[in-house]
Amino acid sequence: MSGNAQGFFGMHKFGRGRDKIQQFMSISGANEKAALAALKASDWNLDGALDIYYNQAFARPKLDPYQLEEVYSRYKDPYSDMVLVDGISLFCEDLEVDPGDVVMLVISWHMKAATMCEWSKKEFMQGFHSIGVDSIPKLRSVLPALRAELKDEHKFRELYAFAFCWAREKGQKSLALDTAVRMWELLYEDRGWPLISIWCQFLQAKHNKAISKDTWSQLLEFSKSISPTLSNYDAEGAWPYLIDEFAEYLVESGVVPAK
C-alpha cells in the first residue's frame, strides 16, 4: 500500500474515532493527547483504553520527590509520621473540597489507605504517585478525572469494596450502621439507583445493627441486577436475609406492587 493510501486510511480511522475520543475525554477527564494515545494502544476499544489510562498512567510527568516531600510535611502530624484529622482538614481546605466530598474517598483509594481519617507517609506518597501529581494545584486540576473514575464500572466496584474496609473502625469486622448509611449515600449519589434512600431508611427503622461485609457486597449486586420494581426478584434466591427483608418492606410499604 502506498504512503498516500496509508495516510488516507489512517485519517479515515481517526475520523471515525473522533466520537470515541470525545467519549474517552468525557469519562476520564483526560486531554485529547492522552485520549488518543490510550485509544491507539487499545486498538480503539473504549473500555480497554480506559483500563490502560487508569492503570498505566499515560502522559504522566516525572514527579519531583523534594516537592512531594514538602507537600507531605505541610500536612504531617507534629507528633507522628502520619497525616491525621487536622492535617486532612487542612488538605481539604487547600484542595478546596469538602471533607465529605466523594473525591476524598477516591483519593484515599489511590493511597490504599487502611483507615478513614489517617494516612501513613507511605500511603500519602503512593497516592500522589498513583494519581501522577506532586503538588496540591496539580491535584486540584485532576479532580474532575478522579470524580470520573466513579463512572467506570470496574473502578466503581473496586472503590465500593475498598470503602467498606476503609470506613470501619479498627479491629471491627462489620461497619457501623450510621457510617454504612453515609457511605452508601455518598457512593450512590450519582448512580441513579432510586431505592438507595428507602434502603437507608429501612435499615435505620428496622435493622439498627452493624452491616456485615456480605450485606455490603450483595447490595451492590442487588442494585445492579434487580429491577427497582422487583419484577425479576426471586424470594428463593441466595440473597442475605436483610435484603430479603428489604424486598418485603418495599411491598408492605407500597413502594412496589405485590406480585
Side-chain angles (χ1 to χ4, degrees), residues 69-91 117-122 124:
E69 191 72 35
E70 288 182 4
V71 175
Y72 174 72
S73 296
R74 174 167 171 77
Y75 306 112
K76 174 185 170 297
D77 184 76
Y79 304 108
S80 65
D81 199 13
M82 301 275 292
V83 179
L84 301 178
V85 174
D86 288 345
I88 292 175
S89 295
L90 179 59
F91 179 89
C117 296
E118 64 177 54
W119 299 325
S120 69
K121 182 175 183 178
K122 179 181 177 182
F124 189 92

Side-chain angles (χ1 to χ4, degrees), residues 81-224:
D81 199 13
M82 301 275 292
V83 179
L84 301 178
V85 174
D86 288 345
I88 292 175
S89 295
L90 179 59
F91 179 89
C92 291
E93 286 179 22
D94 290 349
L95 201 55
E96 299 175 4
V97 300
D98 188 271
D101 192 311
V102 71
V103 80
M104 289 301 295
L105 171 61
V106 179
I107 291 170
S108 294
W109 172 64
H110 274 279
M111 292 181 179
K112 294 182 169 59
T115 307
M116 187 189 291
C117 296
E118 64 177 54
W119 299 325
S120 69
K121 182 175 183 178
K122 179 181 177 182
E123 290 168 347
F124 189 92
M125 296 299 187
Q126 176 176 275
F128 272 72
H129 276 278
S130 174
I131 296 168
V133 297
D134 54 15
S135 71
I136 291 299
K138 289 177 183 177
L139 180 57
R140 193 185 302 120
S141 74
V142 298
L143 290 180
L146 294 176
R147 295 183 197 281
E149 292 190 358
L150 290 159
K151 299 177 184 177
D152 179 276
E153 287 302 319
H154 177 69
K155 297 296 179 182
F156 183 80
R157 281 186 175 275
E158 289 188 7
L159 273 158
Y160 186 89
F162 165 82
F164 180 85
C165 297
W166 175 72
R168 67 186 176 186
E169 293 183 14
K170 289 182 179 180
Q172 298 297 311
K173 291 184 177 181
S174 299
L175 188 58
L177 178 60
D178 288 347
T179 304
V181 166
R182 287 198 300 272
M183 295 305 300
W184 270 317
E185 290 173 340
L186 193 65
L187 285 161
Y188 277 92
E189 185 175 3
D190 296 318
R191 296 294 291 179
W193 188 48
L195 299 180
I196 187 60
S197 294
I198 303 170
W199 165 253
C200 293
Q201 292 167 14
F202 159 76
L203 291 174
Q204 292 168 319
K206 303 289 186 179
H207 184 59
N208 203 28
K209 295 178 184 176
I211 300 299
S212 70
K213 189 172 185 178
D214 183 48
T215 298
W216 177 268
S217 300
Q218 289 299 310
L219 182 78
L220 177 61
E221 301 308 321
F222 182 84
S223 68
K224 289 178 68 65

